[in-house]
Amino acid sequence: MRRGRGARRSRRRPAALGGLGGVSLAAQLIGTGGGILVALVGGIVIYGAIKAAIGLRLDPEAEFAGADLSIHKISATAESETSW
């Protein structure tokens, strides 16, 4: 396809740190920061909802015995197991 005399060829100059793809480094950093912010806020909201609904800690007696024994009814170490 030929261009007429008056048509100009537009040339893109390569920008420092990646402006060729149409997205500058600043825009990428802003997008990355926004994604991190959304993930943090979402995690805090979900953590708070779980903590308010059912709690995240064991009672003191179960915590002293260990989560492996109080929740799963198994021992994490061989020393605590009963003999078969």
Side-chain angles (χ1 to χ4, degrees):
M1 182 195 278
R2 298 185 101 185
R3 296 178 184 240
R5 277 190 181 179
R8 290 180 140 183
R9 217 181 209 178
S10 64
R11 288 188 175 176
R12 278 194 194 173
R13 292 185 179 177
L17 299 175
L20 280 178
V23 180
S24 68
L25 179 63
Q28 292 178 15
L29 291 175
I30 291 169
T32 300
I36 291 171
L37 182 66
V38 167
L40 284 173
V41 169
I44 290 170
V45 167
I46 290 172
Y47 175 81
I50 291 173
K51 186 176 178 182
I54 60 173
L56 295 173
R57 299 219 38 188
L58 298 171
D59 60 344
E61 293 173 6
E63 190 173 345
F64 182 76
D68 52 346
L69 289 174
S70 59
I71 296 173
H72 306 294
K73 308 294 188 240
I74 58 171
S75 175
T77 59
E79 299 159 0
S80 306
E81 291 187 22
T82 58
S83 61
W84 295 90

